[in-house]
Amino acid sequence: MELYGTGFRVTCLVFSILMYIIGTIGNLLIIWTITTVKRMRSIQNMLLALLAAIDLLIIGYLMPFGMHVLITNEQPGFGACRFQAIITAFLFSCSIQFIMFIALSRYFKICHSQKFKRIVTARNVIIATIGACAVGACFASSLWFFESLWTFEFPMHSCIFDRYGSVTFSVIFMAVVIAFPAGVTAFSYIRIYRHVNKARTQLHKNWNNGLAQRKFKYEQILTKTQFVVFIVYMVMYFPFGITAVGGQRSDYPDVLHTLSIYMCYLNSCINSILYGVLNKNMRRGYLESLRFIKPSQTNSVVPTVSGYLSGGQTTQASTQQG
């Protein structure tokens, strides 16, 4: 018996193929740029590369699974479906946590720059990555031991954790995996916004040279870029969160369930575009990594605005960061 009509299958496959191409190329471009362009190899950019790697796995594995279901028009087997549900829970969990880590790194960079180099280190990034994977694995492994926690979602043509099978599991998952990281991220950007606004007048009064103003603008652009990525994430995952909170599956139309999973996939496709549009330095890094332009020869050294904003002594840092 066929699961879906021809019109639904064709529409979903077209969107899936487009997002697969864009998402794969875009996330590979981020990773390639950060690993090949020397000036982009900063600790903060390591977090961007890790987020891109998670998005690449979401696009590279989860979407083809759904496309396979649409092409065969058959429900996947028990083993394949359970494995898909486990991977989905793991990757979605890791994605929001890395967005939180990026926000925290910006928070320490702007608000506590004297502690930044001590806190945001390669070692701590590795520890944070292991921690994120551990949290994701904790929830994902539950789906292996308890069959009632995962299901084949017909409107999503995907196997995911059963949002309606166990209210307790769903509430804990949404609170720990979605709400807590989102709250920490929002808190970080609110503190950054308040900190920068408070220091803006004092900065312009005491540091009215062009280099300081340029550095200040540069830090603002970096922060705004990551803030936009966070806002886009929340918007894209909003339908999924709505359909996962209370009620029954039948309380929401099938089209909303389908839209929710595709918006989650879309979020993993567009980060590279957001970085390119909002961050001139990342955009230049793209072009350098693809050899469209020559590597930047400038290495201007200016006072760090973040150090001044934190109330510490001014130091020096290169403007060529990611």
Side-chain angles (χ1 to χ4, degrees):
M1 180 179 178
E2 294 187 346
L3 292 176
Y4 308 103
T6 302
F8 178 85
R9 293 169 64 196
V10 171
T11 301
C12 290
L13 280 171
V14 169
F15 279 106
S16 296
I17 292 171
L18 288 174
M19 286 192 288
Y20 180 83
I21 295 172
I22 295 172
T24 300
I25 294 175
N27 287 299
L28 283 175
L29 181 58
I30 293 175
I31 297 171
W32 176 255
T33 298
I34 292 174
T35 56
T36 60
V37 180
K38 186 175 181 180
R39 64 183 178 82
M40 302 293 289
R41 299 173 193 166
S42 66
I43 300 297
Q44 289 176 286
N45 282 347
M46 284 176 58
L47 293 170
L48 298 185
L50 289 168
L51 177 60
I54 294 295
D55 288 336
L56 185 62
L57 288 172
I58 291 174
I59 296 300
Y61 178 77
L62 300 186
M63 288 199 70
F65 184 93
M67 292 164 65
H68 175 75
V69 172
L70 291 171
I71 292 172
T72 61
N73 212 9
E74 296 178 354
Q75 185 170 330
F78 177 87
C81 195
R82 178 168 64 176
F83 187 73
Q84 163 80 359
I86 290 171
I87 298 300
T88 301
F90 176 78
L91 293 178
F92 281 0
S93 171
C94 291
S95 179
I96 182 61
Q97 291 186 77
F98 279 112
I99 290 177
M100 176 183 69
F101 294 150
I102 291 170
L104 286 172
S105 73
R106 296 305 307 162
Y107 169 72
F108 285 109
K109 176 73 172 180
I110 298 297
C111 301
H112 301 283
S113 65
Q114 292 179 323
K115 301 178 181 179
F116 174 76
K117 289 186 177 180
R118 188 170 68 254
I119 295 175
V120 185
T121 63
R123 176 178 176 272
N124 287 341
V125 167
I126 293 174
I127 293 174
T129 301
I130 294 173
C133 291
V135 172
C138 180
F139 283 98
S141 62
S142 300
L143 276 61
W144 176 269
F145 295 107
F146 302 98
E147 295 179 16
S148 61
L149 297 181
W150 61 272
T151 185
F152 174 71
E153 285 278 2
F154 175 81
M156 297 180 176
H157 43 276
S158 300
C159 299
I160 65 173
F161 79 90
D162 191 351
R163 297 166 293 165
Y164 309 99
S166 172
V167 175
T168 301
F169 180 83
S170 296
V171 169
I172 294 175
F173 183 88
M174 297 299 293
V176 176
V177 174
I178 303 295
F180 176 75
V184 172
T185 302
F187 169 81
S188 298
Y189 285 121
I190 290 172
R191 289 297 301 270
I192 290 171
Y193 176 81
R194 294 178 60 184
H195 199 86
V196 170
N197 276 353
K198 183 178 180 180
R200 189 191 304 272
T201 302
Q202 187 177 6
L203 172 69
H204 284 271
K205 179 180 178 180
N206 295 281
W207 260 4
N208 55 9
N209 64 81
L211 292 178
Q213 300 299 331
R214 188 174 66 187
K215 181 63 179 179
F216 181 73
K217 183 178 180 180
Y218 173 77
E219 294 288 353
Q220 283 187 309
I221 291 174
L222 285 182
T223 303
K224 287 179 180 179
T225 301
Q226 300 306 328
F227 178 70
V228 169
V229 169
F230 167 64
I231 293 299
V232 169
Y233 178 94
M234 297 305 297
V235 171
M236 292 298 174
Y237 274 76
F238 182 75
F240 184 85
I242 287 296
T243 59
V245 178
Q248 299 296 324
R249 186 178 290 103
S250 58
D251 293 341
Y252 307 96
D254 285 351
V255 66
L256 182 59
H257 289 287
T258 304
L259 179 65
S260 67
I261 195 64
Y262 275 91
M263 287 184 69
C264 292
Y265 290 149
L266 181 60
N267 177 77
S268 296
C269 295
I270 61 177
N271 282 344
S272 60
I273 299 174
L274 293 176
Y275 294 143
V277 171
L278 300 174
N279 191 328
K280 181 180 179 180
N281 192 49
M282 181 64 81
R283 186 164 62 247
R284 183 178 179 84
Y286 288 165
L287 297 176
E288 288 182 24
S289 68
L290 298 174
R291 304 296 188 268
F292 287 130
I293 62 174
K294 294 182 178 180
S296 176
Q297 298 298 320
T298 60
N299 191 31
S300 304
V301 178
V302 297
T304 58
V305 173
S306 54
Y308 181 78
L309 292 179
S310 297
Q313 298 296 320
T314 60
T315 59
Q316 291 184 325
S318 169
T319 60
Q320 302 300 326
Q321 302 176 25

